[in-house]
Amino acid sequence: MYDLINYLWETGLNLLFSPEIFEPLVFPGLIAAFSLLIVVIWLERKIAAIIQMRYGPYYISRHTEGALQLVADLLRFLFSEVIIPKSVDKIAYVLAPIILFAFTFLPIVVIPVSKDFAAIDHEYSLLIALALMTLYSSFLLIVSWASNNKFSFIGGLREGFLSLSYEIPLIISALSAAVLFDSFNLIEIVEKQAAMGWGIFYNPLAAIVFLVVIIYSTSRYPYEIAEAESEIVIGPFTEYTGILFGLGMGISYIKLYSMSLLYAVLFLGGWEPVVWPLNLHPVLPGIILFIKAFIIVAFSVFLRAVYPRYRIDQALRIAWWKLFTLAFLSLLFSYGIKIIEVMG
Amino acid sequence: MGLLTNLVDHLKAIGTGLKYLIPRRLTLMYPEYVEKLPEGYRGYLRYDNEKCIHCSLCARICPANAIKMYRGGDKKLRPGINYTRCIFCGFCADICPTGALEYTTIQDIAYEKLEDQVYPPEKFAKGVPQPVYPEKPIFIIAKVDEERGLKYDRV
Amino acid sequence: MSEEGYMLLQIGPQHPGSGHMRMLVKLDGDVIVDFIPDVGYVHRTVEKIAETKLYIQNIPLLEKPILNDSGNANLAYIIAVEKLLDVEPPPRAQYLRTIMAELSRIASHLYGIGILSILIGSSTGFMWAFGDREIFIHLMQMMSGARITYSYMVPGGVRRDLPDQFREEFRKAARYMRRRYKDYEKIIIKNPVTRARLEGVGVLSREKAIEWGTVGPNLRASGVAYDVRKVEPYAAYEDIDFEIAVREEGDCYARLLVRFQEIMESLKIIEQALEKIPNGKILAEKYEKMIQPRAKKLVEGTGRIKFPAIYVNLKPPKGEVFSRVESGKGEITVYLVSNGSPKPYRLRFVTPSFRNLLTFKNLIPGHRLADFPAIYGSLDYFPPGADR
């Protein structure tokens, strides 16, 4: 009997700490993402408040400067009634935000935490991550269409236009990192960076384009166009209430997090450097990766206090003229570096 | 050229944002901190029954019909006030020839019921309602400051 | 407005970007083809109420519609009443009125800038402008004893003299505002995103501005150097040297810049007024001597005045007068008819937002939906002011 319990305990523990389970569910997946969500939304409000010379969230937990604000918000969202308007497409209205939320998590699965710890160690893991990221906008379109509201519709339309324009610079700038390091495998890319130096120093152009695309695609300011409050209320989520609205609020932050992780892997050297206490267990280098991603996330939310928002046509012009050209140049730049490497 | 100035302006905007990350708040944390208003602030009214000469000027000048004259037991007219209507213009206190009506610096009173805000002469003469705070507040004085805009000094 | 191929969008009154009014927008894709501002949501029959109230009681009433610029609304009405009563306020009162009007203008401009900022998405611009407005509200509170509804001017003068610390406090405030302007410049005015959103948007040409009867900073941003303070000086503006802020472009950006320029100019005006202000009474002799001596004794040394009892029974002779002032949002005009009774026979109160309504309506079509809040904010249109 004792042996059986012991056996089950050990296999259970092994199963939990196996990359296939641990990565999507604990770190950097679901649990880590949720705690980041709570911190980041608080941080965003706090940063904006400090720059704007006010206090921001405070009263919900005075000793921590209101850090539990989002927990309280989530509880409120959970217990408030979900009102489903008569005019909506009910199945799509309810399911679309849930599926959208789940799909936004997916790219995290292929992002490795360290050399020996990846849920999916695939030859083409970069391409898989990019492909999974593009699922986002199609479900947002369903959300907006199902709502049967003019403001949602305009918001969805805007999101559609934007996603068409940001995906190309996103993929090209990611590919220029792949060209630079000669691999589509994210683990190999980090290994190469450990040897050569960070991608951001080799190809700063691609790094800048990718950063702008992160801000662009997760509707952070100045590209907060699909939700523009003073124009179209809250965009695709105008008709939503309760926890469904809460999901909608969190989605763009989760996307921001997953893209920042990818950014850290591609341009900031991933989990490198692996120094003493971190080499004890293969999951520990992930902390470095997480910190790097967090800095990107914090910078993106900080921009809320700096910028107004662009108009949709201006944003599209930026994407198609500036970002597209720069992304292409960065690809050529990577090729140039490769050629110099081969020649020299 | 245009592109370069654009980039510089972007960096300046972000730099200004970073500069302001050092907290310098303008907010007054009411009700933990309560501003002690200067003498002459037009707040709730104090009515002195003894000084009143029953002239009705206050009721006649009141732009919001908040003050009404009541005839008391001694057949004399005395003002009563309805704070649901009062707009705190202070005309009544300014026209009162004897100083029976004066404004105080009290302004933050909360009522449970609408009827509580009606003050007939007897209740009006009893004194000014006092604000209730959840905990003992720290009283401050607001002053203009060159660096921070407004500065709050403890009394 | 419901043909095939167009989308009819109803913005407001319950919409985060509408203010207290309903607007119908007809969209062709992203481009607005027709625009109807449906005014009247906050109509309060101010003109009719004014006929039922004493002359003195209308002071607070007329402040309410233009709440964020109540100092100037107060002044416009008082000038009209004084014309009817044929009273001339003493010079010191004139200067105090000027100071009040300019402080009120600064507060109004900061309000307008804040609203424009939040409408184009800059929450920092909104919070900064509203935060800094608080400093000028603090100054006005020192002068008048109230935060927003000052009711500072009465027929024949003003209610209070300048407090002792006012000069020092204002000097600090002016320095603070000038220093802050540099930060405003970096984060809002010269921010490339703001410029992209406002430059070349909602261009109001000089001819159209005159044709549509635009007033205030919106008119001056279209290259018309028209300012009532210069054209028909009232209060102490005759003795004060100041420039009219004019720009030629006529777009939303020019309107934003004109507002900032006017804030800076107002600071100068107040500084001059504080320098030149003469000593003396703050209430006209005619009313001063009507105050009972024992009442006078009560306020001795406080700088305040007591009202003479005649204020509840002001009966101007029969006649019609017209007055106008340049408020923060533009020209306020008051047309007052007296039939000899203690209440106005007719009061016509034309607010700047009401006069800018036509500009607002005509300027929108042809722009994109996202330009609508930018133009709306740049005109500093204030629905309660327009609806009265």
Side-chain angles (χ1 to χ4, degrees):
Chain A
M1 190 62 195
Y2 177 77
D3 284 348
L4 184 66
I5 291 171
N6 209 17
Y7 172 76
L8 281 178
W9 170 249
E10 268 183 16
T11 35
L13 214 61
N14 277 341
L15 201 64
L16 180 65
F17 275 99
S18 71
E20 289 81 5
I21 301 290
F22 190 77
E23 237 201 29
L25 280 188
V26 184
F27 180 84
L30 200 64
I31 290 171
F34 256 107
S35 18
L36 179 112
L37 193 70
I38 286 166
V39 174
V40 148
I41 294 180
W42 168 78
L43 192 73
E44 172 167 28
R45 295 178 60 178
K46 208 72 192 174
I47 288 176
I50 289 171
I51 292 174
Q52 292 159 5
M53 307 200 293
R54 45 191 186 91
Y55 279 85
Y58 175 73
Y59 279 103
I60 209 79
S61 59
R62 291 186 198 196
H63 302 295
T64 53
E65 288 275 314
L68 297 178
Q69 178 68 45
L70 201 85
V71 179
D73 281 353
L74 275 177
L75 282 175
R76 194 189 71 77
F77 280 138
L78 266 176
F79 290 110
S80 71
E81 186 190 356
V82 176
I83 300 163
I84 300 177
K86 262 188 183 168
S87 58
V88 302
D89 181 343
K90 285 194 184 56
I91 295 170
Y93 178 88
V94 174
L95 283 183
I98 296 168
I99 297 173
L100 178 56
F101 196 71
F103 274 21
T104 322
F105 272 103
L106 281 182
I108 298 175
V109 176
V110 291
I111 293 169
V113 169
S114 76
K115 195 165 57 177
D116 314 311
F117 203 84
I120 299 169
D121 181 10
H122 196 271
E123 194 70 9
Y124 295 105
S125 49
L126 173 60
L127 288 184
I128 297 171
L130 290 174
L132 288 174
M133 273 171 193
T134 56
L135 282 173
Y136 173 80
S137 48
S138 42
F139 279 93
L140 206 60
L141 280 178
I142 296 175
V143 167
S144 75
W145 185 252
S147 295
N148 191 16
N149 175 302
K150 285 174 183 173
F151 294 114
S152 304
F153 173 68
I154 295 173
L157 218 56
R158 287 182 175 191
E159 177 59 36
F161 274 119
L162 291 175
S163 70
L164 280 180
S165 54
Y166 69 67
E167 266 161 19
I168 296 166
L170 166 72
I171 289 167
I172 295 177
S173 57
L175 287 188
S176 50
V179 168
L180 192 63
F181 302 115
D182 231 351
S183 170
F184 282 119
N185 186 333
L186 292 173
I187 293 178
E188 257 175 53
I189 287 176
V190 177
E191 294 286 282
K192 284 259 173 67
Q193 287 184 70
M196 291 161 58
W198 291 5
I200 191 167
F201 301 123
Y202 274 92
N203 195 344
L205 204 56
I208 290 169
V209 172
F210 202 99
L211 183 62
V212 176
V213 170
I214 289 178
I215 294 161
Y216 198 118
S217 62
T218 54
S219 37
R220 306 262 70 84
Y221 280 85
Y223 301 101
E224 194 247 27
I225 294 163
E227 284 101 31
E229 198 193 0
S230 58
E231 295 151 30
I232 47 172
V233 191
I234 194 80
F237 286 94
T238 304
E239 286 286 357
Y240 281 86
T241 42
I243 190 63
L244 288 178
F245 179 77
L247 287 179
M249 205 175 79
I251 284 169
S252 71
Y253 291 93
I254 299 289
K255 193 183 181 199
L256 178 61
Y257 170 59
S258 67
M259 288 185 89
S260 300
L261 281 174
L262 190 63
Y263 187 84
V265 166
L266 287 181
F267 296 105
L268 299 180
W271 50 84
E272 294 295 336
V274 184
V275 284
W276 165 65
L278 299 178
N279 51 19
L280 296 178
H281 191 276
V283 83
L284 288 176
I287 294 167
I288 298 267
L289 181 70
F290 186 79
I291 290 169
K292 283 173 180 170
F294 187 80
I295 290 168
I296 302 294
V297 171
F299 178 73
S300 310
V301 297
F302 153 77
L303 292 178
R304 164 178 289 269
V306 176
Y307 285 118
R309 69 175 77 81
Y310 276 117
R311 215 163 57 203
I312 175 90
D313 57 320
Q314 289 164 343
L316 294 181
R317 198 166 292 129
I318 286 168
W320 286 108
W321 285 104
K322 294 188 181 153
L323 291 180
F324 186 71
T325 325
L326 286 177
F328 229 86
L329 284 177
S330 75
L331 190 61
L332 293 178
F333 195 76
S334 284
Y335 274 118
I337 289 174
K338 274 319 315 167
I339 289 166
I340 292 167
E341 234 171 55
V342 172
M343 305 265 280
Chain B
M1 192 57 213
L3 217 68
L4 193 70
T5 49
N6 224 1
L7 191 67
V8 170
D9 286 344
H10 270 294
L11 292 178
K12 270 186 183 169
I14 292 174
T16 315
L18 289 173
K19 190 178 110 188
Y20 273 83
L21 277 178
I22 305 157
R24 32 187 277 179
R25 283 140 167 170
L26 252 169
T27 319
L28 175 67
M29 290 299 259
Y30 183 87
E32 282 92 340
Y33 293 84
V34 175
E35 186 179 354
K36 201 148 186 64
L37 292 155
E39 195 53 41
Y41 184 86
R42 305 196 316 238
Y44 274 70
L45 294 158
R46 179 183 292 122
Y47 170 59
D48 190 337
N49 203 358
E50 303 297 312
K51 286 185 189 163
C52 186
I53 52 166
H54 327 291
C55 67
S56 306
L57 278 176
C58 47
R60 284 176 70 191
I61 203 167
C62 182
N65 293 339
I67 295 187
K68 210 168 94 181
M69 299 309 281
Y70 293 76
R71 199 172 290 279
D74 51 359
K75 297 277 187 283
K76 279 174 181 161
L77 288 167
R78 285 197 173 78
I81 191 164
N82 180 352
Y83 279 119
T84 57
R85 311 196 68 150
C86 183
I87 56 170
F88 299 100
C89 63
F91 280 1
C92 47
D94 275 359
I95 205 163
C96 181
T98 59
L101 276 174
E102 277 175 330
Y103 21 76
T104 63
T105 58
I106 291 162
Q107 59 155 357
D108 37 1
I109 313 282
Y111 290 93
E112 266 179 33
K113 278 181 272 171
L114 279 175
E115 304 88 76
D116 290 351
Q117 303 193 42
V118 182
Y119 285 70
E122 306 81 50
K123 197 177 161 195
F124 197 19
K126 260 181 204 149
V128 194
Q130 291 299 320
V132 181
Y133 301 107
E135 52 207 71
K136 200 173 156 34
I138 299 164
F139 284 99
I140 53 95
I141 292 179
K143 271 196 170 140
V144 182
D145 186 73
E146 272 173 46
E147 295 299 317
R148 304 176 57 105
L150 279 179
K151 189 175 66 175
Y152 305 111
D153 293 338
R154 285 187 188 208
V155 177
Chain C
M1 291 218 350
S2 60
E3 306 109 272
E4 267 310 287
Y6 295 110
M7 181 192 260
L8 186 64
L9 206 58
Q10 183 169 318
I11 299 182
Q14 272 74 36
H15 182 285
S18 71
H20 297 290
M21 74 185 297
R22 192 170 78 118
M23 287 165 279
L24 295 166
V25 175
K26 192 158 85 167
L27 284 172
D28 179 9
D30 196 31
V31 180
I32 298 169
V33 289
D34 204 356
F35 172 68
I36 300 175
D38 186 7
V39 295
Y41 185 65
V42 278
H43 177 51
R44 303 187 247 200
T45 64
V46 162
E47 289 178 3
K48 193 70 200 168
I49 295 172
E51 290 167 18
T52 68
K53 289 196 182 293
L54 303 175
Y55 279 94
I56 188 106
Q57 290 176 336
N58 281 329
I59 293 173
L61 175 71
L62 293 192
E63 278 182 345
K64 302 286 176 216
I66 316 182
L67 204 52
N68 52 17
D69 193 8
S70 58
N72 280 307
N74 190 184
L75 185 52
Y77 174 68
I78 288 298
I79 290 175
V81 175
E82 280 173 355
K83 275 186 188 169
L84 267 184
L85 290 166
D86 197 22
V87 219
E88 181 72 22
R92 189 175 173 83
Q94 295 282 34
Y95 272 87
L96 289 172
R97 285 178 181 186
T98 310
I99 294 169
M100 185 48 132
E102 290 305 315
L103 284 173
S104 184
R105 182 187 324 280
I106 295 174
S108 162
H109 280 340
L110 284 172
Y111 186 99
I113 289 163
I115 295 291
L116 171 60
S117 301
I118 193 67
L119 285 180
I120 62 169
S122 172
S123 50
T124 301
F126 173 63
M127 291 293 172
W128 278 15
F130 271 69
D132 290 344
R133 177 170 169 261
E134 200 65 24
I135 289 147
F136 295 96
I137 286 177
H138 172 79
L139 290 172
M140 286 188 274
Q141 184 202 303
M142 283 179 76
M143 281 179 83
S144 70
R147 275 174 52 82
I148 305 288
T149 47
Y150 312 110
S151 304
Y152 182 60
M153 303 148 197
V154 287
V158 295
R159 284 169 76 182
R160 292 174 185 204
D161 209 338
L162 217 54
D164 300 333
Q165 325 87 342
F166 185 84
R167 282 165 196 273
E168 178 61 19
E169 293 277 272
F170 177 75
R171 195 183 54 77
K172 283 188 204 157
R175 248 194 233 173
Y176 170 77
M177 197 59 211
R178 290 199 174 110
R179 209 169 43 78
R180 281 277 282 173
Y181 177 70
K182 290 180 192 130
D183 289 334
Y184 274 104
E185 202 165 40
K186 283 183 204 139
I187 217 161
I188 298 155
I189 303 175
K190 288 200 175 152
N191 192 323
V193 185
T194 315
R195 296 181 60 168
R197 282 301 302 276
L198 299 182
E199 269 177 344
V201 172
V203 180
L204 176 62
S205 68
R206 195 189 146 87
E207 292 72 39
K208 286 290 173 196
I210 294 167
E211 191 188 322
W212 294 336
T214 316
V215 290
N218 307 331
L219 178 69
R220 293 192 280 278
S222 296
V224 186
Y226 185 87
D227 192 319
V228 183
R229 290 175 291 174
K230 283 274 190 210
V231 179
E232 242 177 57
Y234 51 92
Y237 286 111
E238 220 160 354
D239 312 334
I240 282 167
D241 175 42
F242 67 99
E243 277 165 34
I244 307 175
V246 188
R247 289 193 81 84
E248 297 297 324
E249 299 90 342
D251 55 1
C252 294
Y253 193 57
R255 291 193 273 274
L256 174 71
L257 290 179
V258 163
R259 293 217 161 76
F260 268 115
Q261 232 167 305
E262 283 194 2
I263 290 176
M264 295 299 135
E265 208 58 48
S266 290
L267 291 176
K268 277 187 217 156
I269 293 176
I270 301 170
E271 273 165 358
Q272 277 188 50
L274 283 173
E275 236 170 65
K276 290 185 181 167
I277 187 166
N279 285 328
K281 294 255 157 48
I282 55 167
L283 192 63
E285 191 61 42
K286 182 179 168 188
Y287 295 126
E288 174 84 25
K289 62 185 181 204
M290 284 186 202
I291 307 172
Q292 293 184 17
R294 62 169 171 178
K296 246 185 220 174
K297 218 170 265 169
L298 285 171
V299 288
E300 231 168 31
T302 58
R304 304 203 288 266
I305 57 152
K306 278 278 178 187
F307 288 169
I310 186 83
Y311 272 5
V312 294
N313 203 18
L314 288 173
K315 282 186 190 160
K318 268 187 192 173
E320 311 177 358
V321 290
F322 175 76
S323 79
R324 53 182 187 159
V325 300
E326 184 72 30
S327 79
K329 293 171 201 305
E331 193 180 325
I332 299 179
T333 56
V334 174
Y335 175 66
L336 196 55
V337 183
S338 163
N339 59 356
S341 74
K343 289 168 185 174
Y345 175 73
R346 174 82 173 93
L347 174 81
R348 176 81 179 130
F349 184 56
V350 182
T351 52
S353 294
F354 180 71
R355 292 181 65 183
N356 283 333
L357 185 63
L358 192 64
T359 316
F360 181 31
K361 182 185 187 309
N362 291 333
L363 217 50
I364 297 278
H367 286 92
R368 289 173 177 278
L369 177 62
D371 286 334
F372 158 72
I375 297 171
Y376 183 35
S378 79
L379 287 173
D380 199 2
Y381 184 81
F382 189 55
D387 290 355
R388 287 157 301 156

